[in-house]
Amino acid sequence: MEILLDNVTKTFALNNNNGESFKVLDHISFVVKENEFVCLLGPSGCGKSTLLRMVAGLEKVDSGVISVDGQEVQGPHPDRPMVFQDYALFPWLTVEKNIAFGLETKGIDPQKQRDEVERCLQLVGLKGFEKAYPHELSGGMKQRVGIARVLALKPRILLMDEPFAALDAFTRMKLQDELITLWRQNRFTVIFVTHDVEEAVYLADRIVVMSCRPGKVKSIVPVPLQRPRRRTEFTFLQIRNLVLKQYTTYDPPVEYAI
């Protein structure tokens, strides 16, 4: 599914009695092509997560338009699930019940639910942990449950809000590899929010680099590297350095061709 963001702006009111507000996003425009993996990269507070929530339909757009395959986003939809940094699992439900939650709310037949949960457990490497509760899992395993829960819905779009930020470096790299494998197998459109430059270069087809608040598109950097990628490869380091430069320059928005 193709996602279009056209001059999207968002302002939040301050919690005071003066009627003051601050602009979070300022005329954001770009397109995410069908089955493309795009990373939103920028400093904390630049509006990356707010933008992702608007694509998900969890926040309203003040001005501009967000559309999916030509249909304007009006609210949440099962085709646009989100994976959150804090896992967002139900602590009172087992792994299999957490994964089945979305299927149950959609009224899917119980046998089909079990089959789909089994499939997703295999996909994310959690076979054998069906009866475990979230407090019995490591951070990486919890995030696998979160990913499995949205994969069970067979989404056409996957929205990910810094899902690996709280994990140690080794677990993060492992889950990055697993995510790319899942994406290549299932071919959905991904928008992945991160503030980690190397993570963005490792994962993305293109990187949308955002400025400090109010968030604007500073540049769009393609990553024409074959997968699997090597972080020590010369071209990888070249692209990483190009992206890093975006944080110290203030040129007009530009789309690079590499």
Side-chain angles (χ1 to χ4, degrees):
M1 301 182 88
E2 184 175 274
I3 305 168
L4 169 68
L5 297 94
D6 185 14
N7 281 313
V8 174
T9 299
K10 182 68 178 179
T11 300
F12 285 118
L14 293 173
N15 290 324
N16 58 32
N17 297 321
N18 300 325
E20 296 177 334
S21 62
F22 64 95
K23 185 177 283 188
V24 181
L25 295 164
D26 187 14
H27 294 92
I28 300 288
S29 296
F30 62 89
V31 175
V32 181
K33 301 168 189 172
E34 185 170 9
N35 299 335
E36 189 177 23
F37 199 124
V38 167
C39 280
L40 293 183
L41 178 71
S44 296
C46 73
K48 304 184 299 294
S49 295
T50 299
L51 188 59
L52 196 72
R53 289 175 64 84
M54 289 196 294
V55 175
L58 301 175
E59 292 275 359
K60 290 189 176 180
V61 174
D62 286 348
S63 63
V65 174
I66 298 176
S67 61
V68 176
D69 279 355
Q71 298 295 313
E72 186 174 351
V73 172
Q74 301 284 359
H77 192 281
D79 269 347
R80 288 179 270 113
M82 275 187 69
V83 177
F84 299 90
Q85 180 181 340
D86 61 359
Y87 317 126
L89 303 180
F90 299 113
W92 59 89
L93 296 181
T94 61
V95 166
E96 62 184 358
K97 292 292 186 183
N98 265 287
I99 296 172
F101 181 80
L103 300 171
E104 192 172 342
T105 57
K106 289 178 70 175
I108 303 297
D109 174 76
Q111 182 56 53
K112 289 184 179 178
Q113 286 185 42
R114 288 190 288 272
D115 292 344
E116 192 58 32
V117 169
E118 175 73 16
R119 181 184 77 89
C120 291
L121 284 167
Q122 294 281 5
L123 279 175
V124 299
L126 284 177
K127 187 67 181 145
F129 291 90
E130 298 91 332
K131 305 299 182 183
Y133 286 87
H135 73 272
E136 299 174 309
L137 304 176
S138 67
M141 293 169 76
K142 289 177 186 175
Q143 200 55 281
R144 285 189 178 94
V145 177
I147 294 170
R149 184 169 57 186
V150 298
L151 289 179
L153 299 172
K154 296 184 178 177
R156 298 172 66 190
I157 293 172
L158 185 57
L159 308 174
M160 309 190 79
D161 189 9
E162 300 194 57
F164 308 145
L167 305 175
D168 66 86
F170 294 108
T171 303
R172 185 188 315 165
M173 287 189 289
K174 182 172 176 56
L175 286 182
Q176 288 168 357
D177 287 336
E178 290 176 3
L179 173 61
I180 289 298
T181 299
L182 290 170
W183 170 70
R184 295 178 80 173
Q185 289 173 347
N186 294 274
R187 302 308 293 174
F188 37 73
T189 305
V190 180
I191 302 181
F192 186 106
V193 166
T194 182
H195 59 262
D196 185 318
V197 175
E198 186 171 290
E199 181 169 66
V201 178
Y202 191 75
L203 294 174
D205 293 317
R206 288 187 301 148
I207 302 168
V208 177
V209 182
M210 295 177 63
S211 67
C212 294
R213 194 175 70 212
K216 299 180 181 181
V217 175
K218 289 191 75 171
S219 61
I220 299 177
V221 181
V223 188
L225 297 175
Q226 298 219 349
R227 296 179 173 94
R229 294 173 178 170
R230 293 186 292 117
R231 292 174 171 86
T232 56
E233 185 181 341
F234 176 74
T235 308
F236 185 102
L237 297 173
Q238 224 179 7
I239 296 170
R240 186 198 66 182
N241 292 339
L242 173 64
V243 174
L244 281 169
K245 282 184 182 178
Q246 306 310 305
Y247 289 98
T248 56
T249 59
Y250 298 91
D251 301 322
V254 61
E255 182 151 4
Y256 287 91
I258 296 179

